[in-house]
Amino acid sequence: MPVAYTYDEQELLFLLKTGDKTAFTHIYNRYSKKLFLNIYGLVKIEEVAEEILQDIFVLIWEKRETITIHQSFNAYL
């Protein structure tokens, strides 16, 4: 059975900047649940929280080449 490779945050961000869709998927899977919960805590409406989450990740993809992270991606979000 193959072992799943776990990318560290810096590797994922580098790959994201190059347009790697797999890296984007990893980033989404790593951060979306916690981010959704934070958004939901603010807006209190599930559908609105889902739309905001989607908008955030669309922006991340669109701006991937110019994203500069000085701390962690979690803090950036």
Side-chain angles (χ1 to χ4, degrees):
M1 176 186 299
V3 176
Y5 179 72
T6 304
Y7 294 98
D8 72 25
E9 190 173 86
Q10 292 304 315
E11 288 174 311
L12 285 175
L13 292 174
F14 174 79
L15 292 170
L16 175 67
K17 285 185 173 200
T18 67
D20 187 309
K21 292 178 183 177
T22 302
F24 179 79
T25 301
H26 281 286
I27 289 170
Y28 180 85
N29 291 337
R30 186 177 290 184
Y31 297 104
S32 64
K33 185 175 182 178
K34 182 178 179 184
L35 186 55
F36 172 80
L37 293 173
N38 287 336
I39 296 166
Y40 181 75
L42 295 170
V43 298
K44 308 287 191 236
I45 302 169
E46 186 174 345
E47 293 80 13
V48 173
E50 289 172 357
E51 288 181 27
I52 293 170
L53 180 68
Q54 181 178 357
D55 290 346
I56 289 170
F57 278 97
V58 167
L59 282 172
I60 289 169
W61 180 255
E62 289 174 347
K63 308 236 181 239
R64 67 189 177 277
E65 295 173 348
T66 60
I67 292 175
T68 304
I69 308 295
H70 297 289
Q71 296 176 6
S72 70
F73 193 71
N74 192 46
Y76 177 81
L77 291 173

